[in-house]
Amino acid sequence: MSPYLAAWIFWILMFFAIEMPAVFNRKPGDTLSELVWNVFAIRGKPLGWQMRRLALVLGLGWLVAHFLTGGAV
C-alpha cells in the first residue's frame, strides 16, 4: 500500500469520524453540508453572497471536470 493510499484512507475515515456524530446530534451547522451552506451563503444573502456562490460553483465545476477528463483539466 502506498503512503498516499494510506493517507487517503485515513482522511476518509476521519471524515466519517467527524461527520457521523454531527449527523446524529441534530445540531444545526455541524455537518459538512451545513458548513458549506453557511460559508458559501446558500441560505440567505449576506454581504458577498454572489462571490461566495461563484467560488463554490467554479470549484465544484473544476472538480467535476477534473474527474471526468481523467486529470486533463
Side-chain angles (χ1 to χ4, degrees):
M1 178 184 305
S2 77
Y4 285 106
L5 178 58
W8 279 111
I9 291 171
F10 177 74
W11 185 87
I12 291 167
L13 291 173
M14 289 306 300
F15 169 79
F16 282 107
I18 295 167
E19 187 73 4
M20 286 300 101
V23 166
F24 292 112
N25 74 9
R26 305 267 186 207
K27 292 180 185 173
D30 288 350
T31 65
L32 178 61
S33 297
E34 294 165 339
L35 176 68
V36 168
W37 296 334
N38 289 335
V39 169
F40 292 101
I42 301 303
R43 296 179 176 163
K45 295 182 179 178
L47 183 63
W49 68 273
Q50 293 167 322
M51 291 303 293
R52 294 182 199 187
R53 290 183 190 176
L54 178 62
L56 178 63
V57 167
L58 291 176
L60 291 176
W62 172 84
L63 184 61
V64 168
H66 178 72
F67 285 147
L68 292 178
T69 63
V73 176

